[in-house]
Amino acid sequence: MSVKETSASHDDTGLQGQEQQQNQQDSNYVSEKNSTLNRAPSSSASASSTTVEVIESEVVTAASAASATGPEALADTSKPTFIPPPDGGYGWVVVGACFLNNFSMLGIMFSWGIFQQLYKTEIFPGQVSAVSWIGTLAFGCMYIIGGVFSLFGARIGYRKMVFAGSILVAGGCVAASFATEVWHLYMSQGILYGLGAAMANPCVLAAPSQWFVARRGMASGIAISGSGVGGLVFSILIQKLNASIGHRWCLRVLAIIVWCSMVISSLLIRQFSTTGKQAVSVSMRDVETMKRPAFLIMIAGVLLTSFGYFTPLNLMPSYAVDHGLSQGQGAMLNSFLNGASFIGRFAGGVFGDRFGLINLMLFCATASALTTLVVWMLASSSLAVLLVYVILYGVLGGGFISLLAPVLAEQFGTNSLTILVGVTFGVNGLGSLTGTPIATAILSSLGGNGNAYKGAIGFIGGVMALGAVVIFYLKCKVGGKRKAVAT
């Protein structure tokens, strides 16, 4: 190698180091460095490659710090625009549609005890345990299968889901009006009605919250309280219709009412999305959330309390008649229980925000168990004491069930809320499916008379007390008013 070439090589190497130092200090020296490089045409491939990479890096850095007219702004335009919920407007129409759906569909379900009393005494006497499964099949299907249908509601649209559900619900009532065997009622008033309710229920639970932020609790409370008002009205209506036109035509009239109500609801209900993305799918994040100890503890508490939650509603009309009261008084007790449940469902979210959601859920579970074990156990045939019980239990039980979804959102966030609500209400459905048959079996094994109810009442209050203990453990784990994601 000649002296001249060696000198040029050393000059190039020194120039490369000088350029790298200048690049780190100020990107404005890029043009100066380029002119300097032009004075060294014999620079090595290594030096040129390194210099080009550094310059390209600076250009990217400068572009990222440029004004909104740069490439980054163009990329932002491809992202979905965030549309905040209106917190009113058409959202109130959606709330009304959900209220109407719950009023008819759930109101008839919550009045099942009237039919149970009629079936076991007049239509299918001597088949008490078999008859008790009809209503629980409907509730079980609605909650368990509803958890699966919740994954499809956002994909195909709430309107289509509610309309399809209306056909099955009304069809179940009509089919039940022709039943001559208990298993006919299993298939119609139990499974078919329950499947229709499973299609509509996840949609009407989710829709109000999508339209509101500041008044989300109020909107959801109004929508879900329709079931309590419906239970109050239909308990009396079913009793009157059974006495005047018979249970078969009563079921057909109910089919017309519930179908019309649900069709109107399906026409008015709308989804609201802040991003336009409607698809719902299960992710690994959902699976990991469901493995967290706090979620498993909550599921255990919900399962235990669900064994007793619906049972007083289903047994109260029979209890009243077996203790010397009239069927009308039994229907009246059911109506008061549903009316009180309306108050509890509406007030649960309001007081939960003030005193802590888990605190209030624990209070409702504990007080429900104590009220059942003390007030109902000692009520005997006293109408006044029974009225006190159904009002207290309705408020407390309604408050408990209305707090499940808010507690899930508070403790585990909203990203996985759809699947968590589906799983939680599915577990609640398992308890609802078996709670009344177990209590009825205990009742039958003890003779089926007035005093035998104490065993069934003990079972209802006992499992709810165990559920309250589990919820207390959950409260100790995550805290009362803590609003962080639990682990």
Side-chain angles (χ1 to χ4, degrees):
M1 180 180 296
S2 64
V3 174
K4 183 177 181 179
E5 291 176 338
T6 303
S7 177
S9 176
H10 283 298
D11 289 341
D12 291 340
T13 304
L15 179 60
Q16 178 184 359
Q18 181 182 10
E19 288 173 354
Q20 292 175 345
Q21 181 178 6
Q22 288 177 340
N23 288 337
Q24 295 174 358
Q25 294 176 352
D26 194 340
S27 61
N28 292 330
Y29 287 118
V30 173
S31 60
E32 180 181 348
K33 290 195 294 284
N34 286 335
S35 63
T36 304
L37 285 172
N38 291 334
R39 293 196 301 268
S42 61
S43 59
S44 64
S46 173
S48 300
S49 175
T50 304
T51 304
V52 170
E53 291 175 358
V54 172
I55 294 174
E56 290 178 347
S57 174
E58 291 179 355
V59 171
V60 172
T61 303
S64 65
S67 65
T69 60
E72 185 181 38
L74 295 176
D76 287 342
T77 61
S78 62
K79 296 180 180 179
T81 303
F82 176 81
I83 306 173
D87 213 35
Y90 193 82
W92 290 118
V93 178
V94 174
V95 169
C98 296
F99 179 95
L100 181 62
N101 183 93
N102 290 332
F103 171 81
S104 59
M105 184 187 77
L106 295 182
I108 293 174
M109 293 181 72
F110 288 167
S111 304
W112 157 248
I114 309 299
F115 281 110
Q116 178 169 298
Q117 170 62 23
L118 176 70
Y119 290 153
K120 79 167 192 174
T121 57
E122 299 181 21
I123 311 302
F124 304 105
Q127 302 187 57
V128 178
S129 296
V131 166
S132 67
W133 277 96
I134 302 170
T136 52
L137 276 173
F139 280 108
C141 287
M142 182 181 71
Y143 285 125
I144 298 173
I145 302 178
V148 179
F149 283 151
S150 65
L151 302 178
F152 298 97
R155 288 186 179 274
I156 69 174
Y158 288 177
R159 288 182 171 180
K160 294 179 181 179
M161 290 287 286
V162 175
F163 181 78
S166 71
I167 297 174
L168 296 183
V169 168
C173 290
V174 173
S177 70
F178 295 97
T180 57
E181 301 288 343
V182 174
W183 71 268
H184 296 166
L185 295 174
Y186 287 168
M187 300 302 296
S188 56
Q189 202 168 359
I191 295 176
L192 189 60
Y193 193 109
L195 287 175
M199 298 185 73
N201 195 51
C203 303
V204 298
L205 283 176
S209 296
Q210 297 173 351
W211 289 83
F212 293 86
V213 178
R215 290 176 283 189
R216 179 174 292 167
M218 177 186 296
S220 298
I222 293 173
I224 198 172
S225 65
S227 60
V229 178
L232 175 67
V233 172
F234 281 104
S235 292
I236 299 174
L237 179 62
I238 292 172
Q239 178 68 30
K240 298 294 185 182
L241 290 176
N242 283 337
S244 59
I245 61 177
H247 80 282
R248 297 189 186 279
W249 275 105
C250 173
L251 286 165
R252 293 161 193 164
V253 171
L254 293 179
I256 296 174
I257 295 174
V258 72
W259 186 77
C260 292
S261 300
M262 293 183 69
V263 167
I264 295 173
S265 177
S266 70
L267 294 175
L268 296 177
I269 194 171
R270 289 183 187 175
Q271 296 164 261
F272 183 88
S273 175
T274 59
T275 63
K277 294 182 178 180
Q278 302 294 328
V280 176
S281 59
V282 181
S283 65
M284 289 304 298
R285 178 180 296 177
D286 301 326
V287 176
E288 291 301 320
T289 301
M290 287 186 284
K291 291 180 180 179
R292 292 177 179 173
F295 180 72
L296 297 176
I297 294 169
M298 181 171 176
I299 286 295
V302 170
L303 177 62
L304 288 170
T305 54
S306 66
F307 279 109
Y309 174 70
F310 287 108
T311 310
L313 189 69
N314 294 330
L315 287 186
M316 186 54 65
S318 299
Y319 177 93
V321 173
D322 290 340
H323 283 78
L325 301 177
S326 67
Q327 291 187 0
Q329 289 172 320
M332 180 189 67
L333 290 171
N334 231 40
S335 297
F336 272 90
L337 199 158
N338 281 298
S341 176
F342 155 73
I343 298 174
R345 288 169 185 261
F346 180 76
V350 176
F351 288 101
D353 290 336
R354 180 175 181 180
F355 299 106
L357 295 173
I358 288 187
N359 290 337
L360 188 61
M361 187 169 71
L362 174 61
F363 171 78
C364 288
T366 304
S368 296
L370 292 176
T371 302
T372 300
L373 292 173
V374 176
V375 181
W376 194 11
M377 186 74 77
L378 301 177
S380 186
S381 59
S382 172
L383 180 61
V385 178
L386 287 173
L387 280 172
V388 171
Y389 169 72
V390 296
I391 292 173
L392 289 176
Y393 185 82
V395 171
L396 296 168
F400 176 83
I401 204 71
S402 69
L403 290 168
L404 292 181
V407 168
L408 288 171
E410 178 187 72
Q411 296 300 326
F412 305 103
T414 58
N415 291 334
S416 303
L417 187 60
T418 300
I419 185 62
L420 295 183
V421 168
V423 171
T424 302
F425 278 90
V427 170
N428 184 68
L430 289 175
S432 303
L433 183 67
T434 55
T436 299
I438 292 174
T440 305
I442 294 173
L443 180 63
S444 299
S445 66
L446 296 177
N449 54 26
N451 291 328
Y453 277 92
K454 294 187 181 297
I457 295 171
F459 164 74
I460 297 168
V463 292
M464 295 192 73
L466 289 176
V469 172
V470 175
I471 295 171
F472 175 74
Y473 178 67
L474 176 65
K475 168 183 160 54
C476 294
K477 184 175 179 63
V478 302
K481 290 190 176 182
R482 180 181 176 183
K483 296 188 177 180
V485 176
T487 57

